Amino acid sequence: MPETPRPPLPPFTAETALEKVRAAEAAWNSRDPERVALAYTEDSEWRNRDVFLTGRAEITAFLRDKWSRELDYRLRKELWAYTGDRIAVRFEYEWHDAAGRWYRSYGNENWEFAANGLMRRRFASIDDVPIRQHERRLTAPPSGPDART
């Protein structure tokens, strides 16, 4: 059965690439592994730090585990570059572990999309920096003309 298209579709423009980034940010901030996994092809390939995954089932399991450890996760993504069927983003997110230690994680992702707008490849490099709770930046919902959830 063909996968349902997920607009916007490649080739991307500045506007449609930014729309993809905002949709990904909103989905990840939902912390709903099933919702997030629907943005990827059934056979999507991932590298997340030192973990290599293939397919939605592995992605869903990975995200379920991630958000069981990375508590109160909040993410911001920034469009870095785009061309044709590819988008590059920079991001940061904040979270704490079960012991209450806070972290800010910084990274870059390279995305490649299928013609139907689903992501077929995602390669993420991420570094974690310990922070104090009062150093958090991602505490309030965004506001203004470029508001994101």
Side-chain angles (χ1 to χ4, degrees):
M1 176 169 91
E3 295 175 304
T4 304
R6 195 163 186 108
L9 308 177
F12 296 111
T13 64
E15 182 180 329
T16 60
L18 184 58
E19 187 178 337
K20 276 290 194 201
V21 172
R22 293 295 174 256
E25 180 182 86
W28 280 71
N29 278 323
S30 77
R31 297 185 299 254
D32 179 342
E34 288 77 17
R35 175 182 172 189
V36 173
L38 288 176
Y40 301 92
T41 61
E42 285 287 345
D43 61 350
S44 187
E45 297 174 28
W46 272 33
R47 180 182 59 76
N48 195 89
R49 302 174 191 251
D50 61 346
V51 177
F52 294 81
L53 307 168
T54 302
R56 278 192 197 142
E58 288 184 15
I59 291 167
T60 301
F62 172 85
L63 292 173
R64 196 172 287 123
D65 180 62
K66 170 186 178 65
W67 289 320
S68 73
R69 290 178 289 101
E70 295 181 0
L71 307 174
D72 293 323
Y73 174 98
R74 185 132 182 112
L75 165 77
R76 289 288 180 264
K77 289 186 182 284
E78 174 190 352
L79 176 63
W80 187 250
Y82 69 91
T83 184
D85 64 352
R86 295 179 179 185
I87 296 175
V89 298
R90 295 181 345 158
F91 63 87
E92 66 179 11
Y93 62 90
E94 294 174 346
W95 57 280
H96 67 85
D97 62 18
R101 292 178 296 246
W102 281 92
Y103 298 88
R104 185 173 302 120
S105 301
Y106 296 95
N108 299 294
E109 293 176 331
N110 295 313
W111 301 343
E112 181 181 82
F113 291 86
N116 63 3
L118 294 173
M119 196 182 302
R120 70 175 152 216
R121 291 193 181 108
R122 174 188 173 268
F123 302 109
S125 297
I126 307 167
D127 297 304
D128 301 318
V129 176
I131 61 172
R132 294 189 173 107
Q133 186 170 3
H134 74 274
E135 296 174 310
R136 293 182 60 212
R137 295 193 296 234
L138 305 179
T139 57
S143 61
D146 191 31
R148 309 185 295 256
T149 58

